[in-house]
């Protein structure tokens, strides 16, 4: 079905297609349970000590302002991360700012945290309780001087509505944000955050464009502050040389296929370096059971995806679940949690 309508959707500007998708999902027409599948109990697992039906999550950036997360549970996702949410409403960068690289099964975006702002989103979530695990991803406004203040404000106000929270220091589209990967700045930020004593799991979302020195320093701080999770990874500003699509030189973060192996390699590094003690959520180029299994066997307890859904359509969670179950059966693995880190 999606392969029939895909050419029409791909004729639209990517951001317009996205807005149309949000509008359709808001109509709430998806029946309950049609995206659940046989043997799904093989995929039931836990992240941060909380049970999820399956480890396939929607990555941050699709439902930026928390408008349609419950529809994604109906589409068969095991968890959804909304955001990035900033304290104040923000329009983001001038359009066009999202580009489809069809030949590379990739996207480039330079949206710049367009979202409806903290207070309105809090009202929205409080009126529409999430049916399953909801992660809330937060970040700073582009014009805030001390960006750590914005993380503190968001966390203090929104934490009670989340099952877990993600500190996003890795978007390439907010000037200076990635500087938080540097040891001194990250220590300063985490100090402020953990002083708040937020009674919810806290994750750090990481850039794939860091070097090995940064990896070991982040691991050191993750252990120091007892961070609950690492989300690996955000989009990359590198890896353009091999791309085929003419839009490859657009400025912004690259996601999808060209990011797949880069993020998987980084997951392995962090899994080994944290002695398997910190939950890892693997993101980057997941679009099939095979690519989900690669991330899980590299050390991810769960995966998230965004770009894969643009190319495979709204049934992707169900399709990946079926494919993943076949792989588990083929490999004689009883439950998906037994596959975590198998290939490290
Ligand atoms: C259009 C678009 C917008 C995004 N916005 C955000 C965002 O607001 N916050 C964030 O943490 N990640 C954002 N991301 C990054 C994704 O969450 C994910 O980390 C990245 O795209 C890699 O996964 P994928 O290859 O499955 O897309 C965005 C990605 C895309 C394609």
């Amino acid at each position: 079905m999606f392969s029939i309508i895909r050419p029409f959707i791909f004729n639209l500007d990517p951001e317009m297609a996205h807005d149309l998708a949000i509008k359709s999902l808001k109509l709430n027409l998806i029946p309950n349970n049609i995206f659940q599948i046989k043997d799904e109990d093989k995929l039931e697992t836990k992240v941060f000590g909380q049970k999820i039906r399956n480890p396939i999550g929607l990555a941050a950036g699709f439902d930026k302002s928390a408008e349609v997360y419950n529809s994604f549970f109906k589409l068969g996702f095991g968890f959804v991360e909304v955001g990035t949410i900033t304290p104040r409403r923000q329009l983001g960068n001038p359009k066009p700012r999202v580009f489809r690289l069809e030949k590379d099964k990739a996207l480039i975006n330079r949206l710049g945290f367009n979202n409806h702002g903290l207070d309105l989103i809090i009202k929205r979530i409080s009126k529409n309780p999430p049916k399953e695990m909801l992660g809330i991803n937060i970040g700073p406004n582009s014009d805030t001087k001390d960006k750590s203040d914005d993380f503190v404000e968001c966390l203090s106000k929104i934490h009670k509505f989340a099952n877990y929270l993600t500190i996003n220091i890795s978007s390439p589209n907010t000037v200076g944000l990635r500087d938080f990967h540097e040891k001194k700045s990250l220590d300063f930020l985490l100090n402020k955050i953990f002083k708040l004593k937020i009674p919810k799991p806290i994750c750090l979302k990481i850039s794939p464009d860091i070097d090995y020195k940064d990896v070991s320093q982040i691991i050191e701080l993750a252990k120091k502050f007892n961070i609950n999770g690492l989300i690996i990874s955000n989009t990359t500003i590198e890896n353009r040389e091999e791309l085929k699509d003419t839009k490859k030189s657009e400025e912004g973060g690259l996601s999808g296929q060209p990011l797949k192996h880069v993020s998987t390699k980084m997951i392995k590094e962090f899994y080994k370096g944290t002695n398997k003690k910190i939950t890892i959520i693997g993101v980057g180029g997941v679009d099939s059971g095979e690519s989900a299994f690669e991330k899980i066997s590299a050390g991810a307890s769960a995966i998230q995806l965004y770009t894969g859904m643009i190319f495979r359509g709204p049934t992707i969670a169900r399709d990946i679940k079926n494919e993943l179950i076949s792989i588990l059966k083929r490999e004689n693995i009883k439950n998906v949690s037994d596959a975590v880190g198998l290939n490290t």
Side-chain angles (χ1 to χ4, degrees):
M1 175 67 184
F2 184 71
S3 57
I4 300 170
I5 59 166
R6 201 174 90 156
F8 297 101
I9 297 175
F10 277 19
N11 254 332
L12 299 173
D13 163 74
E15 200 168 343
M16 196 182 278
H18 170 265
D19 294 348
L20 211 68
I22 296 274
K23 282 200 177 95
S24 336
L25 289 166
K26 269 187 180 170
L27 297 174
N28 200 17
L29 296 175
I30 306 161
N32 282 322
N33 302 331
I34 61 160
F35 288 96
Q36 274 173 24
I37 55 161
K38 194 172 155 266
D39 290 337
E40 192 160 339
D41 53 330
K42 283 180 92 60
L43 300 181
E44 190 177 294
T45 186
K46 276 187 173 174
V47 279
F48 316 123
Q50 302 168 52
K51 208 158 81 177
I52 47 177
R53 267 198 290 158
N54 67 70
I56 320 296
L58 179 71
F62 192 92
D63 192 10
K64 280 183 185 277
S65 295
E67 296 174 279
V68 290
Y69 46 86
N70 276 329
S71 294
F72 278 97
F73 297 126
K74 288 190 184 173
L75 286 171
F77 284 85
F79 65 112
V80 172
E81 188 168 313
V82 296
T84 295
I85 299 166
T86 58
R88 283 165 288 112
R89 186 185 189 99
Q90 187 163 281
L91 294 176
N93 291 320
K95 295 178 186 177
R97 50 192 183 172
V98 185
F99 305 89
R100 252 186 238 111
L101 282 66
E102 278 188 59
K103 289 188 183 139
D104 304 299
K105 292 200 173 142
L107 296 174
I108 292 177
N109 91 84
R110 49 168 181 269
L111 286 162
F113 292 167
N114 52 315
N115 76 104
H116 296 167
L118 187 60
D119 292 341
L120 190 131
I121 295 173
I122 286 175
K123 272 191 206 133
R124 190 172 284 149
I125 301 178
S126 63
K127 280 192 206 140
N128 184 24
K131 300 258 186 328
E132 297 182 45
M133 182 185 271
L134 185 75
I136 300 184
N137 177 311
I138 56 168
N141 281 108
S142 59
D143 58 354
T144 300
K145 242 188 166 176
D146 183 348
K147 299 204 177 327
S148 64
D149 289 340
D150 281 4
F151 284 109
V152 167
E153 182 178 350
C154 287
L155 269 178
S156 321
K157 287 187 179 168
I158 211 167
H159 72 268
K160 38 182 179 299
F161 302 97
N163 293 103
Y164 71 91
L165 294 127
T166 301
I167 309 297
N168 180 11
I169 57 165
S170 48
S171 165
N173 303 313
T174 297
V175 178
L177 185 62
R178 284 183 164 194
D179 295 349
F180 280 118
H181 287 75
E182 192 267 316
K183 192 176 177 187
K184 239 174 133 185
S185 314
L186 187 58
D187 196 26
F188 171 79
L189 175 67
L190 294 177
N191 238 316
K192 262 176 128 167
I193 286 175
F194 281 89
K195 258 195 199 136
L196 299 171
K197 299 204 180 308
I198 301 289
K200 293 283 171 76
I202 291 185
C203 303
L204 196 62
K205 186 164 178 180
I206 290 173
S207 155
D209 303 327
I210 54 176
D211 60 31
Y212 288 102
K213 181 178 85 355
D214 295 325
V215 171
S216 54
Q217 290 177 351
I218 292 170
I219 289 171
E220 197 187 312
L221 292 175
K223 286 179 183 166
K224 174 177 167 187
F225 288 97
N226 269 326
I227 283 181
N228 305 86
L230 295 167
I231 304 200
I232 307 171
S233 71
N234 214 312
T235 54
T236 174
I237 52 167
E238 294 170 6
N239 264 26
R240 307 283 163 110
E241 308 79 31
E242 314 266 293
L243 300 182
K244 299 185 200 81
D245 205 289
T246 50
K247 295 185 212 88
K248 68 179 182 182
S249 312
E250 288 295 343
E251 204 177 302
L254 174 70
S255 58
Q257 284 309 295
L259 178 62
K260 186 162 78 178
H261 294 302
V262 183
S263 59
T264 305
K265 210 170 141 214
M266 189 162 270
I267 289 166
K268 269 192 192 167
E269 286 296 317
F270 274 96
Y271 186 66
K272 285 188 210 150
T274 54
N275 303 325
K276 314 170 181 184
K277 288 205 176 100
I278 300 180
T279 300
I280 293 174
I281 296 181
V283 206
V286 175
D287 64 352
S288 64
E290 205 62 58
S291 50
F293 189 71
E294 266 170 40
K295 289 264 187 297
I296 291 166
S297 52
S301 297
I303 64 95
Q304 293 175 328
L305 62 90
Y306 183 153
T307 308
M309 182 168 64
I310 305 306
F311 289 92
R312 269 191 90 171
T315 61
I316 191 166
R318 186 192 61 192
D319 299 341
I320 291 182
K321 288 190 290 186
N322 278 321
E323 291 160 10
L324 200 49
I325 286 172
S326 303
I327 294 168
L328 294 180
K329 286 183 179 165
R330 182 187 79 200
E331 301 290 324
N332 256 326
I333 299 170
K334 227 171 128 195
N335 179 278
V336 70
S337 55
D338 302 322
V340 177
L342 266 187
N343 183 22
T344 53

